[in-house]
Amino acid sequence: MIDQGHRAGSPIGTRLRWPSPADRVAAGTWGDANLGGIWYAIDMTLVWAAARVAPDMAWDAWRRMTLAAHTAAYPTIWEGTLSGPDSWNAPESTRPGRTWSAAPAFAMQAFPVNNSHSHAQPLLAYLRLLGVEPTPRGTLAVGRGAEFRSQTFQVQRSGHGSLHARGRVDLETARGAAHGGPGKVTW
């Protein structure tokens, strides 16, 4: 069952498993890692899927997976402010808002920042919300409705945009098909 975020008490993302077993919560053995933890890679996939069928849920899930949401929910925890780990402990954990811990040689808690998931997964999820995704035809779909700008890719609310391609690229945009490359492709 999917955890529906704030309505289920998780301000920082979707739990890996839900609902949480009351006996495990009472024993302090629930809410970390794969036992109810919150994982960026799972949240990103949820946002991508929900964007097609429940856009409001997708935007809510995306907002909760940001470092800003973590800082707002857990302002006294330093990790999660500028960077973070690959997963967070759920509110039911004995260490909510922190990350998983295991044997000292293999613990995200030993250095809980600078993991690329805390930066890359919200960015990828945002692009999915904009309809930027590979298609089964081998093209790149590009939607509209919000803005994104980087050195190599941009899309505007109107659906116009550009991409600096290293090779040939075929795009399915909100404004129609676009083809080109290498170099700058606009639509």
Side-chain angles (χ1 to χ4, degrees):
M1 178 177 208
I2 294 176
D3 161 15
Q4 295 291 315
H6 282 111
R7 294 180 295 282
S10 176
I12 60 172
T14 306
R15 292 172 182 86
L16 188 58
R17 295 183 185 175
W18 183 258
S20 52
D23 61 326
R24 300 284 304 269
V25 173
T29 60
W30 190 260
D32 295 9
N34 62 352
L35 295 176
I38 298 157
W39 293 79
Y40 282 106
I42 301 299
D43 270 353
M44 190 289 301
T45 306
L46 172 67
V47 168
W48 188 1
R52 298 170 183 221
V53 295
D56 290 342
M57 179 182 154
W59 280 102
D60 178 61
W62 177 77
R63 286 181 189 96
R64 288 182 294 113
M65 73 184 296
T66 64
L67 292 172
H70 187 275
T71 300
Y74 299 101
T76 62
I77 297 177
W78 71 273
E79 63 263 32
T81 304
L82 298 176
S83 191
D86 56 352
S87 71
W88 299 112
N89 293 339
E92 299 83 16
S93 169
T94 57
R95 298 177 310 106
R98 299 275 183 183
T99 190
W100 57 272
S101 182
F106 187 72
M108 184 59 70
Q109 189 61 48
F111 193 71
V113 294
N114 294 334
N115 182 292
S116 63
H117 285 287
S118 64
H119 304 281
Q121 297 295 346
L123 179 60
L124 183 55
Y126 185 74
L127 289 171
R128 297 302 187 246
L129 284 166
L130 299 183
V132 178
E133 63 185 21
T135 72
R137 295 165 297 287
T139 63
L140 180 66
V142 180
R144 66 168 135 194
E147 295 185 12
F148 179 83
R149 181 181 303 263
S150 74
Q151 291 179 343
T152 58
F153 176 74
Q154 70 172 330
V155 64
Q156 302 166 1
R157 287 185 187 280
S158 65
H160 289 286
S162 65
L163 171 69
H164 290 274
R166 290 186 170 198
R168 175 146 178 86
V169 65
D170 296 309
L171 304 165
E172 297 178 24
T173 78
R175 318 250 353 133
H179 311 279
K184 187 174 183 178
V185 180
T186 59
W187 59 91

